[in-house]
Amino acid sequence: MEKMISSFDGAKLYMKAEQAADCRAVAVIVHGLCEHQGRYDYLADLFHKAGISTYRFDHRGHGRSEGERAHYTDFNELLDDTNVVVDLAISENPGLPVFLVGHSMGGFTVSLYGVKYPDKGLRGIVTSGALTAGNDNAVLGLPKGQDPHTRLPNGLGAGVCSVKEVVDWYGKDPYNEQSFTAGLCYALSEGLCWFSKKIEEFKYPVLMLHGEKDGLVSVKDTYNFFEKASSTDKQMKIYGGLFHEIFNEYCRDEVIGDAIRWISARI
């Protein structure tokens, strides 16, 4: 099922919900900066084969959703848009456990979501290459005072993955954004500052995944998150030699399988 849904402020978001046969759980998948939900077709397909239904959506200003392209005025827009989809997944699947899975900026979103929405009853959260501390300084390093609508080129392509075909298609994908705004960087910076003061309030069961050679989001972000989160059920796995998009790397079946096994153990 594909449709446009209204977010908390009326913004229209493109959403895709897919039901797994013999469904035993639901996962809300949250994509990263300048990409879109369609880049998670392979991951979603493996989830479905494991009996996990999926809900995916394009962030505002991304893919087929409304909004100024790759722009935010407040980091809470990311969290609250996600919450609309989480609420929908919960209401449409009564009695089934619901999980969050977020990559990169999506990992930022689901991590902060865990602090802002501690009582949603989520069964667990999975992060992939999550931006949670800004150790690479790519976001925090943008000089203050720029017009928030100033556009910056998307230079992420070459570093997203070690698989050439993935990098080549990244630049050709019509739903990927070729630029983002200074306002997006400021919103993420504000969110990282907020999270740094509240990170110990994160208590959900969590699986943190990261590529050791991630050149876009430092693996130190995940080390930092793992150390400070108060979750009594937390696991971390760092994949040696992998770049940023571990769900698209040459051993993606292993990575996705790790996420599925972790989720399955908590159903």
Side-chain angles (χ1 to χ4, degrees):
M1 177 191 67
E2 303 175 49
K3 64 178 181 179
M4 301 297 288
I5 62 171
S6 294
S7 194
F8 66 95
D9 60 354
K12 299 297 184 184
L13 304 178
Y14 173 82
M15 188 198 73
K16 177 184 285 188
E18 294 174 290
Q19 189 75 16
D22 302 318
C23 176
R24 56 201 183 101
V26 179
V28 176
I29 300 169
V30 187
H31 73 76
L33 171 64
C34 287
E35 57 165 356
H36 60 98
Q37 60 77 31
R39 298 190 74 236
Y40 295 81
D41 285 348
Y42 186 81
L43 180 148
D45 184 55
L46 292 188
F47 272 41
H48 301 155
K49 291 175 180 176
I52 304 168
S53 296
T54 60
Y55 283 68
R56 293 181 276 163
F57 69 101
D58 289 337
H59 288 298
R60 65 177 60 210
H62 290 73
R64 284 173 269 188
S65 290
E66 290 184 347
E68 183 177 346
R69 297 291 89 189
H71 173 75
Y72 293 104
T73 58
D74 188 315
F75 73 90
N76 284 288
E77 292 171 325
L78 283 153
L79 280 54
D80 297 342
D81 285 343
T82 299
N83 188 53
V84 170
V85 181
V86 169
D87 280 347
L88 192 61
I90 291 172
S91 67
E92 291 183 348
N93 298 274
L96 287 177
V98 176
F99 295 81
L100 265 177
V101 180
H103 170 70
S104 194
M105 186 179 76
F108 163 97
T109 302
V110 301
S111 300
L112 274 65
Y113 183 97
V115 171
K116 183 171 182 178
Y117 293 99
D119 301 320
K120 282 292 174 177
L122 297 176
R123 194 64 60 90
I125 293 176
V126 179
T127 68
S128 159
L131 174 70
T132 54
N135 280 294
D136 60 0
N137 209 38
V139 172
L140 296 177
L142 184 70
K144 302 296 184 184
Q146 293 192 40
D147 183 328
H149 301 284
T150 299
R151 302 212 67 85
L152 307 169
N154 175 9
L156 304 179
V160 296
C161 192
S162 70
V163 179
K164 183 179 184 298
E165 291 78 9
V166 174
V167 175
D168 288 346
W169 177 243
Y170 183 90
K172 299 173 184 176
D173 191 329
Y175 288 115
N176 281 350
E177 300 299 327
Q178 300 303 311
S179 64
F180 52 92
T181 68
L184 181 146
C185 293
Y186 294 151
L188 295 183
S189 295
E190 179 189 4
L192 290 175
C193 182
W194 178 86
F195 190 54
S196 70
K197 300 171 184 174
K198 293 180 172 288
I199 191 168
E200 293 178 358
E201 297 178 24
F202 185 99
K203 296 180 180 179
Y204 279 111
V206 61
L207 172 64
M208 305 176 191
L209 308 174
H210 215 119
E212 178 239 347
K213 292 192 179 299
D214 190 334
L216 301 182
V217 176
S218 173
V219 69
K220 293 179 182 178
D221 280 28
T222 288
Y223 289 142
N224 182 78
F225 186 18
F226 185 80
E227 176 187 356
K228 295 184 178 179
S230 295
S231 308
T232 56
D233 177 2
K234 58 181 177 179
Q235 295 182 18
M236 174 178 64
K237 185 168 184 178
I238 309 301
Y239 298 90
L242 297 198
F243 285 20
H244 183 55
E245 291 190 350
I246 54 177
F247 291 142
N248 285 328
E249 280 283 2
Y250 61 88
C251 58
R252 61 182 180 175
D253 285 357
E254 175 189 345
V255 179
I256 297 170
D258 286 339
I260 290 172
R261 283 186 287 274
W262 186 88
I263 288 172
S264 297
R266 286 153 185 80
I267 293 175

